[in-house]
Each structure stands twice: as C-alpha cells, then as structure tokens.
Amino acid sequence: RRHAKDGDHLRQKSAEQRNVLGCPRSAGTCCPPCVVLTGGNDPGSTACAPCRIAQAWKELNGGKYAAGCADAMAIALGEGVYPPMPLKYITDYGGTWAGPTSPTNNAAGGPPISKSEFIVQTAVFNLNQRPYDGQATLGPWQTMTAQSAVTDPTYRAKEAIGYVQSCCGDNIVSPDIDVPLAAPCNTAADCPNTVNGQCPVNPNQPGNQFPISSIFESPLDPPLPWCG
C-alpha cells in the first residue's frame, strides 16, 4: 500500500494525462516491443515499456478488464518500476534523479527523462523484478507467483487479477485467469468497492490484527477491489 502512493498520484491526473501515463486509447505502433535486458538489474530478463504493460492489460481476454487499466497502472507504477520512484526522474514532475541507463539497461545511470520518454522506455518494467523483501512476488504488480521467469506481460497481468479476486474480492477467481496462483487465499476478504473502505477480514492474517482496506473504486463489473 505504501508503495502505491506514487502510482495513485499519477492515476489522479486528468483523463488526458492518464492516457499518456500508460493507458492510451490506441497502444499500437507507437509502443515498442518488450526487450531482453543486457545490463543493470537482472540482465537476461524480459522488460517492457509502461505503454506495453497497459496494452497487455487492456487487451487481456478481449478487453474484459480494460476499464480497470488506470487502477492497474497506478499499482504497477508504485510497485514494479525500476529504477524505482519514477516521479523523482520524470522531468515533468520536477524530477532530477538518474533515469534508466538505456532501453535495455535499467540501472539508474541515465539522465532524467520526460513523461513521454518514460512511457516508451522499454527498461522500466522488468517482468521478473524481484522484491526488496525476498518474497516470491515478482514483476510489475509484485504479486505472489509460481513462475520465476516469464516473457509475456499478459501472464503477470493474469496473476495480478487472480490475486486481487482471490485475496481482496469474493475469493472467486474467474475461469479466464488460466495461470497457476502461487498463494490463493482461502477466505474471502470481500473488500468494499470504495476508496479506503475497510475490508471485513484480512485473509492472510485472521483475527484482524493487521486490517486491510480497498485502494480504489473499481469501474469493473464485478469490481476488481485492489487492497492492502
């Protein structure tokens, strides 16, 4: 939840800015394909530009989850970007930190970049990005996974949707989420479809010692209630 702050800031921009920030109406020829990292963090892994991650989400299962793209990108921009904290190196937001070294090297060794450059920067989203805490949560959405290396952003998108449905929603994973989930929850959190709505239960910590809440009001039907 803490890491989603930057993404939430990006999501709250105008509709026009949200289109630029990862959910373009047409993410076709202007969006570069994913690449194999040649240097930086995790060379040999597949990495994708923000526009490609958004495109994969919007096209998943015939566009079934497309309306939830802005929410998904807000989470990804806060959780899975490398170098992290993109607002610190995107010049449109006053960023002065070093950005990615090159389109295939995600080390923080390049100059600050503009928002438009960031959107097509292929080094930004390592599909197999490891977490700082050592858990088996990889990729843009840092959700639990049983697959340590993938080359298709659609796979990670399905994992993220399955996790939210299982652990934040009604515990019913849609049949079209046809990838194995590493740690599905056994109890429905039934988080309300509101911003900062307290969930009745934390499936991973019974007893409500560590309460969780919803992050967005999902535009999807049924909702996809991201929680943390």
Side-chain angles (χ1 to χ4, degrees):
R1 182 71 181 276
R2 172 175 59 83
H3 298 294
K5 294 295 185 182
D6 281 353
D8 198 36
H9 174 76
L10 296 175
R11 182 186 65 79
Q12 290 174 12
K13 295 297 180 180
S14 68
E16 178 182 354
Q17 287 174 315
R18 287 205 307 272
N19 284 342
V20 175
L21 285 170
C23 297
R25 291 185 179 277
S26 176
T29 57
C30 65
C31 188
C34 299
V35 300
V36 175
L37 293 172
T38 58
N41 177 272
D42 204 14
S45 183
T46 298
C48 307
C51 60
R52 186 62 61 184
I53 297 297
Q55 182 180 12
W57 185 280
K58 293 187 76 173
E59 293 179 352
L60 179 62
N61 297 332
K64 177 179 177 179
Y65 303 96
C69 179
D71 292 355
M73 291 306 296
I75 295 293
L77 287 164
E79 295 281 359
V81 170
Y82 201 91
M85 301 182 71
L87 295 184
K88 297 292 187 179
Y89 58 84
I90 296 178
T91 56
D92 302 64
Y93 299 103
T96 58
W97 289 15
T101 299
S102 77
T104 60
N105 186 328
N106 60 4
I113 56 179
S114 69
K115 185 167 59 180
S116 59
E117 290 171 325
F118 175 79
I119 294 309
V120 295
Q121 169 55 261
T122 51
V124 165
F125 279 115
N126 176 5
L127 295 184
N128 308 304
Q129 177 65 40
R130 292 174 176 81
Y132 70 90
D133 57 10
Q135 296 189 68
T137 55
L138 306 181
W141 293 281
Q142 292 289 286
T143 46
M144 297 293 289
T145 180
Q147 184 59 263
S148 61
V150 303
T151 59
D152 183 359
T154 299
Y155 191 99
R156 293 295 189 219
K158 288 182 177 182
E159 285 181 329
I161 292 168
Y163 164 77
V164 175
Q165 291 176 338
S166 175
C167 297
C168 299
D170 57 10
N171 199 230
I172 299 174
V173 178
S174 299
D176 55 11
I177 303 304
D178 53 357
V179 298
L181 301 181
C185 291
N186 296 319
T187 303
D190 283 327
C191 296
N193 189 30
T194 59
V195 176
N196 291 329
Q198 185 165 339
C199 308
V201 65
N202 180 344
N204 293 308
Q205 295 287 342
N208 277 350
Q209 276 187 300
F210 301 96
I212 59 175
S213 60
S214 55
I215 300 174
F216 309 107
E217 181 178 352
S218 173
L220 295 168
D221 184 19
L224 194 63
W226 294 90
C227 67

